[in-house]
Amino acid sequence: MADRNLYETMAARENEVWGKILPDLEGCEAGIEDAKASAELRVARHQRSLIRVAKEKGLHFKHGLTLGCGAGRLERGLMQAGICGSLHGIDISERAVATAREIARKQNLPLSYEVADLNFVKLSEKAFDLVVAQTSLHHILFLEHVAEQVWRSLTNDGYLWIHDFIGETQWQYDSKRLTIVNELLAILPEKFRKDKITGQVTTEIKRPEPGRLGSPFESIRSSEIVSVFERWFTIEWKNEFDAFLRLVVPRGSRAAYLQNEDTRALFELLMLLDELCIDEGIVTPTGGQYLMRPRPVGDILAATSAGN
């Protein structure tokens, strides 16, 4: 982006948006209710947590880094699970970082935080044996810069964990995905389409007009995340999922499916249909989890020379 003033305006808006959203979700009654409903319904059953993958592979880390740490929930989870000895978190939101610091202080956890823009961040070389990017990279404009910085910051035997939205950039959804989503929304009663966190009722999903997303960097280059990072890393393990569920059963609407056995059965049908659409290749997955290892410098230089 050549116009730095325009970028700074967008970044300030990003700070404002996520500085409100992330801390509010930590204490919002509707948000807490939705988190409990999500756990009971096992919304994330097709996903794997970093904690689970690390335990299955017998991985333990000395010093980790989280990119886009928000209010610090992930770092606290990794510490409590004994996966990492210490962690440092970076986020653009001053308010979110302040919340993370305060909770870490109260719980006496070896966690440190800083406010920084990942698009321009400079990371210390060979400082971490784990870097975690959990639902943050789809907000990054300069993916190439971040990928290189992460590669430089990892020890030779280190790991990168990515869990992110890898679907259509700027939510310009594929026509087939939109058709499936909107046909399902058309037959769902309003109680299943109401977001209790925002109070809004979803009737139809449309491709947003450029510049009309709440967050200026929302899914700014989401469809390119994997390809950019594969230039610097090899994928050791991956898990891809979510055909349409995040659009039909978004955060804030899940408690409605806990009313009785019939509503729970409806949710199970939606889950099965979502999985079938992925398995049969009807639509591409929009969620991805990847455990990656740094490529040797020789491989990167060879690939760069070939590209030129």
Side-chain angles (χ1 to χ4, degrees):
M1 182 176 287
D3 189 340
R4 186 58 186 264
N5 289 329
L6 174 59
Y7 176 87
E8 294 295 346
T9 299
M10 293 172 66
R13 174 58 180 162
E14 186 83 352
N15 187 331
E16 176 187 351
V17 169
W18 292 103
K20 181 178 188 306
I21 290 174
L22 294 173
D24 286 353
L25 282 176
E26 291 288 324
C28 165
E29 183 176 341
I32 293 171
E33 178 189 36
D34 186 77
K36 291 179 179 178
S38 297
E40 189 168 344
L41 290 167
R42 297 175 57 236
V43 171
R45 71 186 68 173
H46 298 308
Q47 302 176 31
R48 305 282 290 279
S49 70
L50 171 56
I51 293 172
R52 180 178 172 183
V53 173
K55 286 184 175 180
E56 289 176 351
K57 292 181 173 292
L59 301 176
H60 179 80
F61 306 99
K62 293 180 180 179
H63 190 40
L65 169 70
T66 56
L67 304 177
C69 61
R73 181 180 298 178
L74 176 60
E75 297 86 72
R76 296 191 294 273
L78 290 170
M79 291 295 304
Q80 291 160 3
I83 299 300
C84 204
S86 64
L87 285 136
H88 181 68
I90 299 175
D91 201 274
I92 193 173
S93 168
E94 296 177 2
R95 184 182 173 198
V97 165
T99 300
R101 283 175 175 156
E102 180 62 17
I103 296 174
R105 183 190 65 79
K106 289 181 178 179
Q107 296 183 7
N108 193 31
L109 296 172
L111 302 174
S112 59
Y113 294 96
E114 69 174 294
V115 176
D117 186 340
L118 294 179
N119 283 293
F120 302 100
V121 72
K122 296 290 186 181
L123 301 176
S124 300
E125 292 199 19
K126 307 299 182 185
F128 308 100
D129 54 354
L130 171 68
V131 175
V132 179
Q134 184 118 331
T135 64
S136 60
L137 294 178
H138 69 284
H139 289 274
I140 299 300
L141 179 61
F142 301 122
L143 285 172
E144 291 82 1
H145 169 78
V146 175
E148 180 178 357
Q149 285 296 309
V150 171
W151 182 84
R152 293 184 183 280
S153 75
L154 275 171
T155 57
N156 293 337
D157 59 349
Y159 286 83
L160 167 64
W161 169 264
I162 293 176
H163 176 163
D164 222 311
F165 175 76
I166 57 167
E168 297 90 338
T169 291
Q170 290 278 272
W171 293 357
Q172 298 302 300
Y173 299 117
D174 175 79
S175 296
K176 188 177 293 185
R177 195 187 316 277
L178 279 179
T179 298
I180 294 170
V181 167
N182 287 322
E183 286 183 352
L184 288 170
L185 288 173
I187 61 175
L188 281 174
E190 181 177 310
K191 64 182 180 182
F192 298 114
R193 295 183 284 107
K194 183 173 183 178
D195 183 337
K196 295 182 69 175
I197 297 174
T198 65
Q200 296 179 340
V201 176
T202 301
T203 57
E204 183 182 10
I205 300 296
K206 298 179 180 179
R207 297 186 187 97
E209 297 177 10
R212 296 299 297 272
L213 292 172
S215 166
F217 292 108
E218 181 63 64
S219 307
I220 191 72
R221 293 178 65 191
S222 52
S223 64
E224 301 174 71
I225 291 172
V226 177
S227 61
V228 169
F229 274 80
E230 278 193 292
R231 299 171 195 168
W232 296 88
F233 300 88
T234 57
I235 297 175
E236 183 173 285
W237 175 93
K238 73 175 181 178
N239 177 41
E240 295 175 332
F241 49 88
D242 195 357
F244 60 77
L245 199 71
R246 59 178 291 274
L247 296 173
V248 176
V249 190
R251 185 169 54 193
S253 68
R254 294 159 186 171
Y257 291 90
L258 293 177
Q259 290 183 357
N260 53 53
E261 291 184 4
D262 291 338
T263 56
R264 287 173 181 264
L266 174 59
F267 178 79
E268 291 301 318
L269 287 173
L270 291 172
M271 286 288 290
L272 288 170
L273 181 58
D274 186 271
E275 186 178 8
L276 181 63
C277 285
I278 295 294
D279 290 346
E280 293 299 314
I282 297 171
V283 292
T284 57
T286 63
Q289 298 175 303
Y290 309 89
L291 190 64
M292 298 184 172
R293 304 296 301 275
R295 287 185 182 276
V297 65
D299 290 358
I300 294 173
L301 291 174
T304 302
S305 298
N308 292 335

